Amino acid sequence: MAKVKSVIGLEVDSREIRAVEITRSSGTYSILACGKAPLVEGTVEEGFIRDPDRFNVALTELLQSGGFKSTDVVVGINNENVIMRYATFPKVDDDKLRNMVLLQAQEFIPIPIQEMEIDYVVAGDGVNDEDQPITHVMLVAARRNMIEQYINILSASKLQVTDVDSSVLSQIRGLKAGLVGDEKFALLNMTDDLLNFIVVKGDEISMVRSITTPDRVADSVNNIYKLEPNEETLAIDVEEVGAMLASETASSVSYYAMQNGDSPIEKIFFTTTADQSARLCDIIKDTIMEMPVIVPDFYSTYNFGLDRNVLNEFAGCIGLGIQALEV
């Protein structure tokens, strides 16, 4: 009997490592292992692993205690060293598009592209004001030294990095796996240092906005992401962060409406690994009253046998694994 192939979807942020090992047999996906490990403060900062020894200790403990067997890993990244931009290019043959994107990417990326790894996702076709055919793409650029660091450190732990992907795109794939049909939706994703707002319909992406956490709420964001938050200030912190999210979401929705008034956003999905996601979502809903704002239930049509909250927390890792197994 052939050995069943499996892969680990791995996400890292400044507070923890999350991982899911997933396999596919006869078109059905199964989760073989799932777990997370906390990181000592300062181990990962600004997207970089500052203390490889502590990181490896946490990673080794996670893989051993969680019963992970595979050594193939797909790494999902989403921090200030990852830049996403919506861009438009003249339509060319598919085999020429990549060269055009790489040649012109510097026009859209504010960092020298020789420091970046550039990838893209085709976001749809259209015509410009002169009625000429164009192709919309979402550019994804990540600092090369950050990617190389992750690959080197994981390789030292006897892991084989088979791909590096965007955690946000992984979540979008998860939303499309049974949660959305033909409607136009937005994904509002918050991490401990970054906010993403992406508008999607089918396979077309029509807006990408990323901002770093505003300084005015940085301490509040930091507290709600702590494993042991300051309970005395937590309620106030949640309200402050929620108000920031509502304001930035309202701005994004208004801007999109001005540009695309004939094709409005129909639904907003809010995702975060912070424990207060439901309350934050309620605060956003109180501001964005013209459309539903929802904390999604990822992979609800899959028989993974995991608690709903666990599936939501590890949705990015699951999406990374599924994408790798479909390649």
Side-chain angles (χ1 to χ4, degrees):
M1 181 179 293
K3 184 178 180 180
V4 176
K5 177 178 173 58
S6 64
V7 66
I8 297 173
L10 185 81
E11 289 186 305
V12 178
D13 57 37
S14 62
R15 67 189 184 111
E16 66 183 14
I17 308 170
R18 295 178 297 279
V20 170
E21 183 175 354
I22 190 166
T23 186
R24 183 176 67 173
S25 178
S26 301
T28 299
Y29 295 98
S30 301
I31 291 178
L32 305 178
C34 177
K36 61 182 180 179
L39 292 172
V40 175
E41 185 174 353
T43 302
V44 174
E45 292 180 334
E46 299 176 340
F48 286 90
I49 300 173
R50 303 299 188 189
D51 192 329
D53 291 337
R54 281 182 170 172
F55 181 86
N56 278 325
V57 168
L59 177 62
T60 300
E61 172 63 22
L62 168 61
L63 297 179
Q64 291 180 349
S65 64
F68 291 83
K69 303 299 183 185
S70 179
T71 57
D72 290 338
V73 176
V74 180
V75 180
I77 52 175
N78 184 35
N79 54 56
E80 62 264 50
N81 295 299
V82 180
I83 298 172
M84 294 188 292
R85 291 289 187 273
Y86 186 72
T88 299
F89 299 93
K91 186 168 179 59
V92 296
D93 293 338
D94 291 345
D95 60 347
K96 297 179 181 178
L97 180 59
R98 183 169 187 82
N99 286 338
M100 175 179 288
V101 169
L102 294 178
L103 285 172
Q104 298 185 27
Q106 188 65 82
E107 299 177 20
F108 305 94
I109 305 298
I111 298 172
I113 59 172
Q114 60 266 28
E115 299 177 14
M116 312 294 286
E117 289 289 341
I118 309 292
D119 202 353
Y120 67 93
V121 177
V122 175
D125 294 325
V127 294
N128 60 17
D129 293 339
E130 286 76 40
D131 228 22
Q132 298 170 325
I134 55 176
T135 297
H136 305 293
V137 306
M138 188 176 79
L139 290 171
V140 182
R143 286 191 182 273
R144 182 173 288 118
N145 57 344
M146 177 191 66
I147 293 176
E148 290 175 348
Q149 183 195 49
Y150 275 86
I151 292 173
N152 291 336
I153 290 175
L154 291 172
S155 297
S157 296
K158 310 302 181 184
L159 297 173
Q160 174 66 39
V161 178
T162 61
D163 196 9
V164 178
D165 199 356
S166 163
S167 292
V168 175
L169 291 182
S170 175
Q171 288 200 7
I172 289 174
R173 292 193 293 266
L175 291 172
K176 291 161 64 177
L179 288 179
V180 295
D182 294 330
E183 71 263 37
K184 179 170 287 188
F185 70 91
L187 169 64
L188 173 65
N189 173 251
M190 183 182 78
T191 71
D192 53 354
D193 58 11
L194 193 66
L195 184 66
N196 294 295
F197 187 88
I198 302 176
V199 180
V200 183
K201 181 177 181 180
D203 293 327
E204 295 188 4
I205 297 171
S206 51
M207 178 180 175
V208 179
R209 183 180 182 226
S210 300
I211 65 168
T212 55
T213 300
D215 290 341
R216 69 182 186 278
V217 295
D219 290 341
S220 294
V221 170
N222 182 56
N223 189 41
I224 69 173
Y225 272 99
K226 286 182 178 179
L227 296 177
E228 297 181 2
N230 182 339
E231 296 293 342
E232 294 182 0
T233 65
L234 183 58
I236 296 174
D237 291 331
V238 171
E239 294 298 318
E240 289 184 350
V241 174
M244 178 275 294
L245 288 170
S247 174
E248 295 295 345
T249 302
S251 297
S252 298
V253 170
S254 296
Y255 178 81
Y256 188 84
M258 286 190 298
Q259 302 295 318
N260 304 271
D262 58 341
S263 181
I265 300 168
E266 300 172 63
K267 185 181 298 182
I268 298 174
F269 291 102
F270 172 61
T271 60
T272 178
T273 57
D275 292 336
Q276 294 77 24
S277 59
R279 176 56 188 148
L280 292 170
C281 186
D282 286 341
I283 296 172
I284 300 168
K285 282 192 289 189
D286 289 342
T287 300
I288 313 296
M289 294 184 289
E290 65 269 27
M291 70 186 69
V293 183
I294 302 166
V295 175
D297 286 337
F298 282 97
Y299 299 106
S300 57
T301 60
Y302 288 64
N303 186 24
F304 284 139
L306 294 176
D307 179 82
R308 172 55 46 201
N309 291 332
V310 174
L311 283 177
N312 285 344
E313 183 177 11
F314 288 88
C317 297
I318 295 170
L320 292 168
I322 289 177
Q323 177 71 4
L325 292 172
E326 289 181 345
V327 174

